[in-house]
Amino acid sequence: MAQTTDPSRTLLRTCPLCEAVCGLEITLDPEDHVTSVRGDRQDPFSKGFICPKGASFGHLDEDPDRLTEPMIRDRATDTWRTASWTAAFDLISERFPAIVAEHGNQSAALYLGNPNAHTVAGALYAPILIRALGTKNFYSASTADQMPKQVASGLMFGDPLTVPVPDLDRTDYLLMLGANPLESNGSLCTAPDFPGRLKALRSRGGRFVVVDPRVTRTAKLADEHLFIRPGSDAYLLFGIVHTLFAQDLTDIRVGVAGLDDVRAAAADFTPEVVATRTGVPAETVVRLAQELAAAPTAAVYARIGTCTAEFGTLTQWLVEVINVLTGNLDSPGGAMFANAAAGGIARTKPFRTGRWASRVRELPEAMGELPVATLADEITTQGQGQVRAVVTVAGNPVLSAPSGVRLDAAFAQLDFLVSVDRYLNETTRHADVILPPPRPVQSPHYDFALLQFAVRNYARYSRPLVPLGERPSEAGVLARLAAALTGRPHDGSDGPDPLTAVDELVIAGTLHKAGLQQRRPELVGANSTEQRIDMMLRLGPYGEWNGGTLNLQALLDNPHGIDLGPLEPRLPGVLRTASGRVELAPQQLLDDVARLRGRLTDAAPDVVLIGRRQLRSNNSWMHNIATLVSGSNKCTLHINPADVARLGLGEHAIVKSAAGSLTVPLEPTDAIMPGVVSLPHGWGHTDSTQAVARDHAGVNANVLTDDSVVDVPSGNAVFNGVPVTLTPA
Ligand SMILES: Nc1nc2c(c(=O)[nH]1)N[C@H]1C(S)=C(S)[C@@H](COP(=O)(O)OP(=O)(O)OC[C@H]3O[C@@H](n4cnc5c(=O)[nH]c(N)nc54)[C@H](O)[C@@H]3O)O[C@H]1N2
Ligand SMILES: Nc1nc2c(c(=O)[nH]1)N[C@H]1C(S)=C(S)[C@@H](COP(=O)(O)OP(=O)(O)OC[C@H]3O[C@@H](n4cnc5c(=O)[nH]c(N)nc54)[C@H](O)[C@@H]3O)O[C@H]1N2
Ligand code: SF4
Ligand SMILES: [Mo]
C-alpha cells in the first residue's frame, strides 16, 4: 500500500447541536481547521446519521464572526474593545460584588440558555454560578421550553428528571402531539436518526399518528395526521381519558394512586364536548382511545408545541395518564425511563414547586427556577430585590423569551451584565463584559442531560480534539467567573486555580457521600473535569463501583460510544413519591383542571399564532452560517390561502398581538389550518454584527408573544395559541 502523505487526521466527537447526540467523524488539517464532517458509522446509537447542521459543524466551529477574546463595552460610547482574561475578570470582580453588597443578593440574576444542556461546562459548572450568586432570581430556557413536562413528571413520579420517553424502536403505535422531529431531530426523546426510527416503526407494521395544526414533514410520514386548534391538546387528551374509562378500556399494570380522582376529573370531558374546542371530531377521539387500548404496545409523546401552551402541564400530565391507563408506562414498546450511565437522580424527597415565589408577580418556583416570563418584571419593577446585575450563559433571551421588546429594554437598563457567549448578539450587546467559550473542537463532550431521555441506554465521551492553548476552557471560565462574582481572587492566587478547587470539592464531597473517602480511589483523567466524569461513571448504574465495568477508561477505549442496551422497566425503583406509587391525580394538577374547564366555552380568537422549527436553524444562533440560511430556511409567516383571501392580504401583513406588532412576509400554504398562522422563532437579527445573519435578518417572533400569560403550574412561557389580528401591510 502506498504510504499516505496527507497529514490531516480524522477524529471522533459527539455533535453538540441538538438532542440527537449523533457521532461525528471530523477531519482536521495540520493547522487544526475542520476540513470535513461525516456521520460516525461505528457509533452504535447514531450509526452514521447526520443532518445539515451537523454537516456544517466546521463552519460553525470557526465562524469568522465568533468571539475569540473577552470583550468589554464602554457604556458612554457604546463601543467594544477586546480585553485580556485578567482585565475582564478584574472588571467583573470590581463591579458585580459591589452591586450585590449595596442592593442585596436578590439584585443579581442568572439566565442559563439552551446550549448548557449540551456542554460539559453547562452540566458540571453552571451550578456553581447558582451557588455563588445565592439569589432566587435564577432563570433558564427551561421555562421557555420543557418545564411543564418536568413539573408533571415531578408530581407524578416524585422527580422532575424522571421523564418517560416513547420506546421508539419497539412500539406498535405512536401518538405524537406538537413535535416535528423531521425538522428538530427530536426533543426529550434522544434518538439519533429519528426519521429512520419512525420509518422503521411503520415498516414493521406499526401505526403512527401525528396531531399538529400544521401538516409537517413528520405528519407526511405518518399513517394519519389530525389538525388541532392550538392550545387545546389537554382537551383532546382528556377526551381520550374519558373514553378509556367510559368504554372500560383501561389496563393498569403499575401501582397507582388517585385513579378515582382522574376518572372524576375526566367525567365531563366527553368526546363531543372536546370536539368543539379542539376541532378533532368526537368519533376520532373515541377511535384514538380504542386504538391506543387495542395496540399490543403504544406510546403517547407530546413535545414543544404542547409544552409552550397555556395548559402545558395538564397536557404533559394527561400524556402519562394515558400511558398508564393503557398499560404502557414502563413497559417495552410503551413509554419508558432511560437509565443513564452518569448523573441520574439523587433526590430522596418528593418533588414540589412553590418553595418560594417571584417578587413582582408571585409566580411559584419550580426546580429552583423562576419563570423567564417574569424576568423583565423583576428588572423593571422598582423596590427591594429589584434585579440590577445579570449573568447570562449561552442564552439569547431577547430573542427567545416572550415579550422580546420589553426584555430588550429591561436588559438595557441593567447596572451590569456579564455574558458567557460565542457571539455579540441581541442579548449580549447589552453586556459590559462578554466571555467567549473556546471552539467546540476544543471542548470535551459528554451528554449528562440528554442521555437521561434516550430511547436506548448509551454512553460516549469525546475528548477535546484540539488543545486550548493559552485560553481557558468554558469550565475554567465559569469557575473563574464564580470567583469573580463573589469578589474572591479569580486567578487562583489564594490556592489552586478555581476550576481545580471546584472539582476537588465536588470529588471529595461525592466520595464522602458514597462512603469511599477513606480509600480515596485513583481517578482516571487528564484533568480534574475528566476525573469527575470518571467518578460519575464509576458510581453510575453500570459503573465499576456498582458491580459493573463502566468508567472513563472504557469510554476512552471505545470512542464510538458504548451501547448499554434497550430500555428496561424501572418502576417502582425510580419513584420518589410519598405514596411510593405513580400519582395519577396530584392535587396541584386537579386544581388547574378548573382553569381548563373555565376556558372550554371561550369564544375562539379569529386567528392564533404558533411557532415552528426549521431543519437548518438552531433557535437564535445558527443564522450566521451561509450554507444553512439559504432556500427554504426563511422567516416567513405560514398562513392558509383561505385566510389570505378572507382578510384581503397581499405579500406582507401587519400582525398585532396584545404584546406587540410586526410586519411579516406571508407564505401561503395549505399545510396550515385556517385560523392559525406560524412564525419561526430565533430570527430578528436586524442590527447584528454577524454579517450573514444580518443579511437574513427576519423578525423576532417573540415581539408578539406575551409574557403576562403563563402555564400556571409551571410558570412556562406560552408561545403557541397567541391571539393575533392581521391587516394588509
Ligand atoms: N416563540 C418561540 N420562542 C421560543 C421557542 C419557540 O418554540 N417559540 N422555543 C424556546 C426553546 S425550546 C428554547 S430551548 C429557547 C432557547 O433560548 P436561549 O437558550 O435563550 O437561546 P438560543 O437561541 O438557544 O441561544 C443560545 C446562545 O448560546 C450561545 N452559544 C452557543 N453555543 C455555546 C457554547 O458552547 N457556550 C456558550 N457559552 N454559548 C454558546 C449562542 O451564541 C446563543 O447566544 O427558546 C425558546 N423560545
Ligand atoms: N433544526 C432545529 N432543531 C432543533 C431546534 C431548532 O431550533 N432547529 N431547537 C431544539 C430545541 S431547543 C427544542 S426544544 C426541540 C423542539 O423539538 P420539537 O418539539 O419537535 O419542536 P418543533 O419542531 O418546533 O415542533 C413543534 C410542533 O408543534 C406544533 N404546534 C404548535 N402549536 C401546537 C399546539 O397547540 N398543539 C399541537 N399538537 N401542536 C402544536 C408546531 O406546528 C410544530 O410542528 O428542537 C430542538 N431541535
Ligand atoms: S441531528 Fe442533531 S446531533 Fe445529529 S448531526 Fe444534526 S444537529 Fe447534530
Ligand atoms: Mo428548547
Side-chain angles (χ1 to χ4, degrees):
M1 211 171 86
Q3 226 183 342
T4 170
T5 51
D6 180 4
S8 65
R9 60 202 201 281
T10 297
L11 298 168
L12 302 168
R13 191 194 197 285
T14 304
C15 178
L17 299 175
C18 90
E19 299 181 37
V21 304
C22 299
L24 302 180
E25 213 179 87
I26 295 176
T27 307
L28 295 151
D29 71 12
E31 277 78 50
D32 290 340
H33 305 301
V34 175
T35 53
S36 92
V37 181
R38 281 182 303 266
D40 174 6
R41 291 197 193 176
Q42 291 180 65
D43 182 304
F45 200 19
S46 63
K47 297 180 177 156
F49 180 81
I50 187 172
C51 83
K53 284 194 297 176
S56 74
F57 178 81
H59 298 288
L60 180 83
D61 186 55
E62 288 195 274
D63 180 346
D65 289 335
R66 81 191 191 283
L67 304 177
T68 55
E69 293 169 277
M71 304 284 288
I72 290 179
R73 183 169 64 106
D74 178 58
R75 283 195 168 226
T77 56
D78 195 23
T79 50
W80 291 92
R81 62 183 164 89
T82 58
S84 69
W85 288 95
T86 301
F89 284 116
D90 280 348
L91 181 64
I92 297 165
S93 301
E94 186 191 308
R95 297 288 312 281
F96 210 99
I99 295 170
V100 172
E102 189 181 342
H103 299 287
N105 280 3
Q106 306 313 322
S107 65
L110 173 66
Y111 176 83
L112 300 178
N114 169 275
N116 286 296
H118 302 260
T119 61
V120 167
L124 301 187
Y125 302 94
I128 61 177
L129 296 176
I130 304 170
R131 249 171 285 141
L133 292 174
T135 176
K136 290 174 180 164
N137 280 299
F138 167 37
Y139 305 82
S140 87
S142 287
T143 52
D145 187 342
Q146 83 293 349
M147 194 57 91
K149 186 75 104 197
Q150 304 208 275
V151 169
S153 288
L155 295 174
M156 294 180 80
F157 309 122
D159 189 287
L161 295 177
T162 303
V163 173
V165 297
D167 187 7
L168 270 191
D169 299 342
R170 291 184 288 187
T171 195
D172 297 290
Y173 189 102
L174 180 63
L175 175 62
M176 180 183 288
L177 307 101
N180 186 11
L182 264 77
E183 310 259 10
S184 70
N185 279 298
S187 183
L188 283 189
C189 179
T190 303
D193 193 13
F194 212 125
R197 290 171 201 269
L198 291 174
K199 285 175 199 153
L201 188 174
R202 292 201 57 201
S203 42
R204 67 177 176 264
R207 187 168 169 79
F208 173 36
V209 181
V210 169
V211 180
D212 198 301
R214 301 185 304 125
V215 188
T216 59
R217 288 171 64 169
T218 306
K220 285 182 187 144
L221 196 96
D223 293 277
E224 182 177 5
H225 165 256
L226 299 166
F227 278 135
I228 186 165
R229 295 283 306 163
S232 70
D233 298 80
Y235 297 102
L236 171 65
L237 297 177
F238 247 141
I240 293 175
V241 171
H242 175 99
T243 309
L244 291 172
F245 283 120
Q247 302 197 352
D248 208 7
L249 297 172
T250 61
D251 171 23
I252 300 168
R253 300 181 191 186
V254 293
V256 299
L259 184 62
D260 291 339
D261 292 328
V262 176
R263 186 189 289 116
D268 48 353
F269 292 101
T270 63
E272 292 72 24
V273 163
V274 303
T276 53
R277 184 67 183 76
T278 59
V280 179
E283 58 275 18
T284 307
V285 179
V286 171
R287 177 170 54 80
L288 288 176
Q290 291 168 341
E291 287 177 3
L292 283 162
T297 65
V300 185
Y301 165 70
R303 205 35 200 111
I304 201 85
T306 67
C307 274
T308 54
E310 227 180 316
F311 298 103
T313 306
L314 287 185
T315 307
Q316 307 317 312
W317 165 56
L318 292 166
V319 164
E320 303 319 335
V321 167
I322 296 173
N323 285 328
V324 169
L325 293 182
T326 55
N328 285 301
L329 185 78
D330 199 41
S331 170
M336 302 189 77
F337 303 100
N339 196 10
I345 50 169
R347 165 186 301 275
T348 49
K349 284 200 203 116
F351 168 79
R352 63 196 179 90
T353 64
R355 292 168 300 167
W356 56 86
S358 67
R359 175 180 66 104
V360 179
R361 280 159 66 188
E362 298 182 352
L363 296 175
E365 151 282 341
M367 297 180 77
E369 299 187 27
L370 294 174
V372 70
T374 197
L375 177 54
D377 304 312
E378 295 295 332
I379 297 173
T380 57
T381 311
Q382 290 184 357
Q384 186 61 37
Q386 179 181 8
V387 169
R388 295 162 188 272
V390 173
V391 178
T392 69
V393 182
N396 191 0
V398 166
L399 290 193
S400 58
S403 296
V405 174
R406 257 196 100 204
L407 202 56
D408 190 37
F411 270 78
Q413 79 168 62
L414 288 171
D415 290 349
F416 201 72
L417 174 63
V418 188
S419 294
V420 183
D421 206 287
R422 356 177 47 232
Y423 290 107
L424 180 53
N425 65 22
E426 297 73 17
T427 297
T428 62
R429 74 189 179 94
H430 297 297
D432 293 272
V433 182
I434 309 177
L435 306 167
R439 290 165 59 192
V441 289
Q442 292 174 306
S443 298
H445 193 91
Y446 187 93
D447 281 299
F448 291 101
L450 305 177
L451 294 177
Q452 313 288 337
F453 314 114
V455 299
R456 264 189 94 83
N457 294 313
Y458 156 91
R460 174 170 172 147
Y461 174 69
S462 321
R463 275 199 157 145
L465 308 184
V466 170
L468 283 165
E470 295 302 304
R471 60 146 302 139
S473 65
E474 183 159 14
V477 171
L478 297 189
R480 256 179 109 168
L481 177 59
L485 291 172
T486 47
R488 283 180 289 128
H490 57 76
D491 53 4
S493 59
D494 60 337
D497 77 272
L499 180 60
T500 315
V502 168
D503 288 331
E504 280 300 320
L505 217 65
V506 173
I507 290 173
T510 311
L511 291 178
H512 180 81
K513 253 201 204 148
L516 291 163
Q517 79 280 18
Q518 301 301 0
R519 47 175 192 98
R520 163 84 197 235
E522 212 39 59
L523 292 167
V524 170
N527 51 47
S528 57
T529 301
E530 286 198 349
Q531 287 172 359
R532 262 178 85 174
I533 297 175
D534 187 38
M535 177 183 70
M536 293 171 81
L537 290 164
R538 289 174 191 233
L539 284 171
Y542 314 89
E544 67 162 302
W545 295 342
N546 221 344
T549 54
L550 203 64
N551 53 29
L552 186 69
Q553 193 57 51
L555 293 186
L556 293 173
D557 293 342
N558 292 278
H560 300 286
I562 297 180
D563 180 42
L564 298 166
L567 303 186
E568 283 172 13
R570 295 194 67 199
L571 290 183
V574 288
L575 295 178
R576 295 290 183 274
T577 52
S579 63
R581 289 180 282 172
V582 173
E583 288 293 342
L584 271 193
Q587 191 55 47
Q588 238 172 303
L589 302 183
L590 291 179
D591 292 346
D592 203 38
V593 174
R595 189 170 64 100
L596 184 76
R597 209 171 266 129
R599 283 298 173 72
L600 194 53
T601 51
D602 275 13
D606 185 37
V607 183
V608 291
L609 173 76
I610 62 170
R612 73 174 182 274
R613 274 174 176 68
Q614 297 155 301
L615 181 62
R616 287 178 292 137
S617 292
N618 199 8
N619 298 327
S620 74
W621 67 281
M622 284 181 67
H623 295 140
N624 204 46
I625 312 297
T627 50
L628 295 178
V629 283
S630 54
S632 63
N633 196 15
K634 285 200 216 83
C635 182
T636 58
L637 189 81
H638 283 183
I639 180 168
N640 191 282
D643 285 328
V644 177
R646 180 173 65 92
L647 300 168
L649 304 174
E651 287 189 356
H652 288 73
I654 300 166
V655 188
K656 275 207 181 86
S657 72
S661 151
L662 285 175
T663 301
V664 295
L666 303 183
E667 188 177 335
T669 167
D670 286 322
I672 192 159
M673 64 194 285
V676 182
V677 292
S678 162
L679 196 58
H681 72 285
W683 298 86
H685 310 293
T686 321
D687 304 318
S688 184
T689 56
Q690 301 168 42
V692 179
R694 191 180 50 233
D695 286 348
H696 302 263
V699 294
N700 176 6
N702 286 319
V703 166
L704 298 171
T705 59
D706 183 349
D707 68 4
S708 72
V709 186
V710 294
D711 167 52
V712 171
S714 67
N716 206 81
V718 174
F719 298 129
N720 293 319
V722 178
V724 289
T725 57
L726 275 73
T727 48

